[in-house]
């Protein structure tokens, strides 16, 4: 095409890899003739940034033609690699995630696209193109039989529906003799029939324990070359190589942690989210989008099936089921563990473990391993004054005291200093008392109570993946429970009352999830003993009606306008900046309720002063609210740049916005 000033030049529209919010848009750069062949959409490029006087990295998102001949364009500095690593579908998803969370697309892509590894990329470019393979007919037939336990589940997956399933709480022994959770077999079956239809699958699980179970359930049932593992345990080259495999046209099954939800697979037919209540699926980095929310956005754009399942149901999923966005698929036959509620303690001995539970553990140890779940790791995580029971604090930094090992003196959990000459700040007492029992102290106590029994500690410092099918006491912290071959012969849930004391909006559903996941590890008919807890949570576990508890919890939060009945954004920064952002929000979104904004209030201990406000808004106002808050962040960033050199560095660009925080400080 020829214009008045000459032929139109090709233009690259580039997204800069920059944390600055004002640069969160596409910039036009002229494509020099020497880069015309390699400068295709999706490649990494380097471009000059005039305002900074330097060269920055970016992604070439799309190509076009120059329209304004009067405005000179800077040229691409270089094409880093001819490998297109950013397909248009991934950029579109990143843009939608960023807009929903009032963040930047470059921050999302930093999580989604691994760093470039030159050797891995060269090896991939010189390797043969992956060939599409489908599972064997026997594997597909077996998968259909597994899915038949949930009527219409297979049809819903093939039709691309959004589905919610309550997983069966039991363990399954595979033909190879390995025990995995029933949920992993169900996910493997759903992935098998999807791959057999020539579609890709993305499976997102919280941690490596869950990932190993899914990989074990898939091994031997789908072609090995179609399995792609993506997690933080991999080396940089391995993770980048796995990402390049997802870009190929051949369908595959991706199994990974929260960042795997962005995997740009070809012809995606199914996205699976397991145990969405696990905090590991909540991204801590900006913009902080939960893997469940990303999967919902992805399903909407790709029209793939979405399967959300767990042993419990979060209030977030329950809200989606109630509005009809997710369809609940119940099991054809209800299978539940045998849960026994025991008293808090014996009246006389005030024992931590009631006598009935103690006897049940003794009987179960004659048949196999017994799981004991405790609240915290270590020996004695909490130390108090023996006179007034006030929590003991460090004399240097006021941190909490703890005892790491039996026989060792207390030390500070913050600064690590040993404590000598301690004196209580409340009653001036000088003697300490161990007020809690961690995993190691519990192991010592139960080891003495059951002499001759093997004791295994499983926590963050002592990771254990599996235990054999022989008598043993397995003391595990919540979430670190290993799989037992054939299942545990009993599960003892301790410290439930202490867990519920946490100041957390979601502590009730979190405890129910911890207990339910542990109960699902039992052998058929084995007892699950919950000590020291009564009320609705205990009844929900005993009757295995977690979905009903989620409905009741959601109804209570709706009355109080708490998430997930509403969305919540946290706005933090200099008092004047926060005030201006909230005033702008009021003007741009007049439909907000009168009590939608809580605050702003001063954050104590901050110098210079800072304020924080909470904004509660309905889902229908999400786009308008996040757009207004994002505009305020950009305006603050521009102001900070203009005042550079005239204000202290720590006061620049202070406005921060976080949307859908898991537990806002309400």
């Amino acid at each position: 095409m020829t214009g008045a000033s000459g032929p139109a030049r090709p233009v690259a529209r580039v997204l800069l890899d920059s944390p600055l919010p004002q640069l969160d848009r596409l910039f036009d750069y002229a494509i020099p003739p020497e880069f015309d062949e390699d400068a295709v959409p999706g490649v990494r490029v380097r471009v000059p940034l005039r305002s900074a006087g330097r060269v920055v990295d970016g992604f070439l998102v799309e190509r076009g033609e120059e329209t304004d001949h009067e405005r000179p364009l800077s040229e691409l500095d270089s094409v880093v690699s001819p490998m297109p690593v950013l397909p248009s579908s991934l950029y579109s998803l990143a843009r939608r995630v960023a807009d929903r969370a009032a963040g930047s697309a470059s921050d999302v892509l930093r999580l989604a696209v691994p760093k470039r590894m030159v050797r891995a990329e060269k090896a991939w470019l010189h390797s043969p193109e992956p060939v599409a393979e489908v599972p064997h007919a026997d594997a597909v037939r077996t998968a259909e039989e597994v899915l038949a336990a949930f009527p219409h589940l297979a049809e819903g997956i093939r039709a691309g529906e959004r589905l919610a399933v309550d997983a069966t709480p039991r363990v399954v022994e595979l033909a190879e003799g390995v025990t995995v959770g029933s949920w992993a077999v169900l996910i493997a079956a759903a992935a098998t029939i999807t791959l057999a239809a020539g579609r890709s699958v993305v499976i997102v699980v919280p941690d490596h324990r869950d990932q190993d179970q899914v990989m074990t359930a898939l091994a031997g049932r789908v072609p090995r070359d179609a399995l792609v593992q993506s997690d933080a345990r991999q080396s940089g080259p391995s993770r980048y190589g796995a990402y390049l495999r997802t870009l190929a046209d051949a369908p595959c099954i991706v199994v990974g942690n929260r960042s795997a939800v962005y995997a740009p697979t070809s012809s995606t037919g199914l996205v699976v989210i397991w145990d969405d209540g696990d905090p590991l699926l909540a991204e801590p980095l900006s913009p902080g989008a939960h893997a469940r929310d990303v999967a919902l956005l992805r399903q909407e754009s790709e029209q793939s099936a979405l399967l959300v399942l767990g042993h419990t149901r979060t209030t977030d999923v329950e809200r989606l089921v109630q509005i009809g966005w997710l369809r609940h698929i119940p099991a054809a036959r209800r299978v539940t563990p045998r849960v026994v509620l025991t008293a808090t303690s014996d009246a006389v001995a005030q024992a931590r473990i009631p006598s009935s539970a103690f006897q049940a553990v003794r009987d179960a140890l004659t048949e196999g391993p017994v799981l004991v779940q405790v609240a915290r790791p270590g020996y004695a995580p909490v130390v108090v004054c023996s006179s007034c029971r006030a929590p003991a604090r460090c004399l240097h930094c006021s941190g909490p005291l703890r005892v790491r090992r039996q026989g060792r003196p207390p030390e500070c959990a913050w600064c690590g200093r040993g404590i000598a000459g301690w004196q209580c700040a409340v009653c001036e007492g000088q003697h300490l008392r161990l007020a809690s029992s961690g995993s190691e102290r519990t192991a010592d106590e139960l080891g003495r109570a059951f002499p001759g029994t093997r004791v295994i500690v499983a926590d963050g410092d002592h990771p254990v993946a599996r235990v054999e099918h022989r008598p043993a006491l397995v003391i595990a912290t919540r979430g670190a429970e290993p799989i037992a071959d054939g299942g545990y012969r009993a599960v003892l849930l301790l410290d439930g009352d202490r867990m519920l004391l946490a100041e957390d909006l979601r502590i009730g559903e979190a405890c129910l999830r911890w207990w339910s996941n542990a109960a699902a590890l039992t052998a058929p008919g084995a007892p699950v003993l919950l000590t020291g807890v009564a009320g609705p949570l205990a009844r929900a576990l005993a009757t295995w009606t977690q979905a009903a508890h989620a409905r009741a919890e959601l109804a209570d939060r709706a009355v109080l306008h708490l998430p997930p009945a509403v969305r919540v954004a946290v706005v933090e920064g200099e008092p004047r900046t926060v005030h201006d952002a909230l005033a702008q929000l009021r003007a741009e979104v007049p439909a907000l309720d009168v009590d939608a904004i809580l605050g702003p209030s001063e954050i104590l201990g901050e110098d210079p002063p800072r304020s924080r406000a909470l904004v509660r808004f309905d889902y229908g106002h999400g786009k308008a609210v996040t757009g207004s808050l994002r505009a305020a962040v950009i305006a603050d960033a521009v102001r900070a740049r203009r005042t550079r050199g005239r204000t202290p560095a720590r006061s620049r660009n202070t406005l921060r916005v976080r949307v859908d925080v898991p537990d806002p400080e309400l």
Side-chain angles (χ1 to χ4, degrees):
M1 183 175 67
T2 304
S5 302
R9 294 185 300 169
V11 171
R13 295 187 172 92
V14 178
L15 177 69
L16 304 181
D17 183 8
S18 171
L20 299 179
Q22 64 267 39
L23 301 182
D24 183 35
R25 60 185 179 88
L26 299 182
F27 290 83
D28 288 353
Y29 287 89
I31 301 177
E34 62 269 24
F35 296 150
D36 187 66
E37 183 177 349
D38 292 337
V40 297
V43 299
R44 286 183 168 97
V45 295
R46 292 180 63 82
V47 295
L49 189 61
R50 289 182 177 179
S51 59
R54 57 190 177 91
V55 176
V56 298
D57 295 324
F59 289 102
L60 197 161
V61 175
E62 58 186 35
R63 285 181 57 135
E65 292 184 344
E66 187 177 16
T67 57
D68 186 359
H69 294 275
E70 303 299 327
R71 181 171 61 92
L73 292 179
S74 300
E75 293 185 341
L76 296 179
D77 182 79
S78 63
V79 176
V80 177
S81 166
M83 183 71 190
V85 294
L86 180 63
S88 59
S89 59
L90 179 54
Y91 171 73
S92 176
L93 176 62
R95 182 72 272 164
R96 294 187 65 189
V97 170
D99 292 343
R100 187 182 189 278
S104 299
S106 60
D107 289 338
V108 177
L109 292 178
R110 208 171 293 126
L111 304 171
V113 184
K115 292 183 179 180
R116 180 180 180 239
M117 298 292 166
V118 178
R119 290 186 179 180
E121 185 174 281
K122 289 182 177 179
W124 173 260
L125 292 173
H126 289 87
S127 62
E129 189 73 15
V131 179
E133 299 183 69
V134 296
H136 193 271
D138 292 340
V140 177
R141 192 178 306 110
T142 303
E144 295 279 4
E145 294 174 357
V146 172
L147 295 176
F150 294 85
H152 310 297
L153 177 57
E155 293 84 348
I157 292 174
R158 292 191 176 98
E161 295 187 51
R162 297 178 291 264
L163 307 169
V165 171
D166 298 328
T168 303
R170 66 180 181 186
V171 293
V172 176
E173 186 173 349
L174 303 177
E176 297 82 359
V178 182
T179 300
V180 298
S182 174
W183 63 269
V185 176
L186 180 63
I187 290 177
T192 300
I193 67 166
T194 306
L195 185 65
R199 307 289 296 277
S200 294
V201 182
V202 176
I203 302 172
V204 183
V205 296
D207 59 26
H208 64 91
R209 297 181 184 86
D210 300 324
Q211 186 179 26
D212 291 342
Q213 291 189 64
V214 175
M215 294 294 289
T216 301
L218 285 168
R221 291 154 183 81
V222 298
R224 184 175 180 179
D225 293 340
L227 273 178
V228 180
Q229 187 171 344
S230 174
D231 63 71
R233 292 179 296 172
Q234 295 174 297
S235 63
S238 297
R239 190 170 189 180
Y240 187 60
Y243 179 82
L244 295 178
R245 170 62 182 91
T246 64
L247 294 170
D249 292 333
C252 61
I253 299 176
V254 180
V255 185
N257 50 23
R258 58 178 177 262
S259 62
V261 73
Y262 297 102
T265 50
S266 171
S267 183
T268 306
L270 174 64
V271 177
V272 180
I273 303 293
W274 161 250
D275 199 12
D276 68 294
D278 196 308
L280 292 176
L281 292 181
E283 179 58 59
L285 302 177
S286 180
H290 195 285
R292 176 192 57 246
D293 298 330
V294 177
L296 288 166
L297 293 174
R298 177 170 185 167
Q299 187 279 334
E300 191 176 7
S301 60
E302 295 181 340
Q303 296 301 304
S304 60
L306 173 63
L307 179 59
V308 182
L309 72 162
H311 290 129
T312 58
R313 185 178 300 178
T314 61
T315 49
D316 305 86
V317 171
E318 178 59 28
R319 185 189 70 85
L320 295 172
V321 170
Q322 288 189 10
I323 65 176
W325 196 251
L326 290 177
R327 183 162 73 97
H328 175 229
I329 302 289
R333 186 171 67 91
R334 191 167 184 262
V335 178
T336 62
R338 181 164 65 93
V339 180
V340 180
L341 304 181
T342 63
T344 304
S345 60
D346 290 334
V348 178
Q350 294 293 312
R352 184 184 179 198
I353 304 176
S355 58
S356 58
F358 191 89
Q359 184 59 44
V361 170
R362 183 182 298 277
D363 295 340
L365 282 173
T366 62
E367 302 179 8
V370 172
L371 173 65
V372 181
Q373 185 192 74
V374 296
R376 302 179 68 176
Y379 189 79
V382 179
V383 180
V384 299
C385 173
S386 61
S387 301
C388 67
R389 299 296 191 270
R393 314 295 295 189
C394 176
L395 302 176
H396 301 277
C397 68
S398 298
L401 299 187
R402 64 181 179 184
V403 175
R404 293 178 60 89
R405 296 288 186 274
Q406 182 180 12
R408 293 184 57 177
E411 63 181 37
C412 178
W414 290 358
C415 66
R417 286 187 173 95
I419 303 301
W422 179 85
Q423 188 177 48
C424 178
V426 178
C427 68
E428 298 184 355
Q430 298 181 350
H431 298 285
L432 295 170
R433 178 187 179 92
L434 305 184
S436 64
S437 296
S439 55
E440 296 181 23
R441 186 182 179 191
T442 303
D444 288 345
E445 294 172 350
L446 292 181
R448 291 192 296 269
F450 297 94
T453 302
R454 187 169 55 123
V455 179
I456 301 172
V457 176
D459 54 26
D461 294 331
H462 310 88
V464 180
R466 294 184 178 275
V467 295
E468 301 173 351
H469 180 63
R470 59 191 183 99
L473 279 169
V474 181
I475 317 301
T477 53
R478 50 201 177 186
E481 302 91 349
I483 297 289
D485 292 340
Y488 289 100
R489 296 304 166 181
V491 170
L492 177 59
L493 305 174
L494 297 179
D495 304 336
D497 52 345
R498 291 183 179 272
M499 295 180 188
L500 290 169
L501 292 177
E503 296 180 357
D504 190 327
L505 176 65
R506 296 175 181 262
I507 189 59
E509 60 182 283
C511 287
L512 189 57
R513 185 181 65 83
W514 292 327
W515 301 335
S516 301
N517 288 348
L521 299 176
T522 57
V528 178
L529 309 162
L530 177 62
T531 65
V533 180
L537 273 179
R539 290 194 297 270
L541 181 69
T543 58
W544 209 257
T545 53
Q546 291 88 341
H549 180 270
R551 285 193 293 273
E553 182 76 9
L554 183 63
D556 291 341
R557 295 189 196 175
V559 175
L560 300 173
H561 299 287
L562 294 175
V566 296
R567 298 181 68 188
V568 175
V570 179
V571 184
E572 181 180 320
E574 293 179 349
R576 181 175 180 179
T577 306
V578 173
H579 179 273
D580 293 344
L582 298 178
Q584 178 180 325
L585 176 63
R586 283 286 192 194
E588 295 180 351
V589 193
L592 287 178
D593 295 335
V594 176
D595 58 347
I597 298 177
L598 305 179
S601 60
E602 183 181 353
I603 303 176
L604 300 178
E606 292 286 336
D607 184 27
R610 295 174 65 83
S611 296
R612 178 188 294 125
L614 300 179
V615 181
R616 302 185 295 188
F617 55 98
D618 294 332
Y619 287 81
H621 299 146
K623 185 176 181 180
V625 171
T626 56
S628 176
L629 294 177
R630 183 61 177 169
V633 171
I634 294 175
D636 181 62
V638 173
R639 177 199 61 79
R641 175 175 174 79
R642 290 174 178 172
T643 59
R644 182 174 296 171
R646 300 196 300 270
T647 58
R650 61 182 177 179
S651 68
R652 303 188 203 124
N653 192 17
T654 63
L655 189 63
R656 297 180 181 178
V657 173
R658 185 72 182 264
V659 183
D660 296 327
V661 288
D663 180 34
E665 296 181 4
L666 301 176

